[in-house]
Amino acid sequence: MAFVVLDNCIKCKYTDCVAVCPVDAFFEGPNFLAISPTICIDCALCEPECPANAIVQEDKVPADQQSFIQLNAELAELWPNIREVKTPPADADTWNGVADKLHLLELE
């Protein structure tokens, strides 16, 4: 079972989680990160590192965010792999905790 990046990552895109991933399972888009379910080994190291609390185990994804399971899988196939921590967007803290950001997700 893989971990999943949820709605709160959108426009926050903290990359603290990337630094602890032993298998490089993260993929980076313009304003969101995705975890590949085929690469993730369910080690749980990333979950506590996320300042936005936007990473959960697949079987704990809230009902209203179930679409993020498939979204992570799809975006991990499209976006480049990220292996190093990057500076978050300047306004990341402003967006942290804002609900229902899916419509703000940038795909390209």
Side-chain angles (χ1 to χ4, degrees):
M1 185 144 327
F3 277 75
V4 179
V5 181
L6 302 178
D7 184 71
N8 201 43
C9 181
I10 298 170
K11 294 189 77 67
C12 291
K13 199 174 89 169
Y14 300 108
T15 57
D16 306 56
C17 52
V18 171
V20 298
C21 183
V23 293
D24 300 329
F26 284 87
F27 292 80
E28 179 185 24
N31 68 350
F32 184 70
L33 297 176
I35 296 174
S36 169
T38 58
I39 298 173
C40 179
I41 59 171
D42 197 32
C43 69
L45 293 174
C46 59
E47 185 178 23
E49 295 301 316
C50 180
N53 296 316
I55 301 173
V56 300
Q57 194 169 37
E58 186 177 336
D59 64 351
K60 295 182 177 144
V61 173
D64 65 335
Q65 295 196 42
Q66 287 288 307
S67 64
F68 279 87
I69 296 171
Q70 183 62 33
L71 185 63
N72 273 250
E74 291 172 4
L75 296 177
E77 294 293 322
L78 300 174
W79 288 345
N81 189 248
I82 179 172
R83 296 181 183 105
E84 296 180 1
V85 174
K86 295 183 178 181
T87 304
D91 62 349
D93 290 342
T94 303
W95 287 101
N96 188 2
V98 174
D100 302 319
K101 297 188 283 185
L102 184 56
H103 67 283
L104 299 171
L105 177 65
E106 297 174 24
L107 300 176
E108 295 178 15

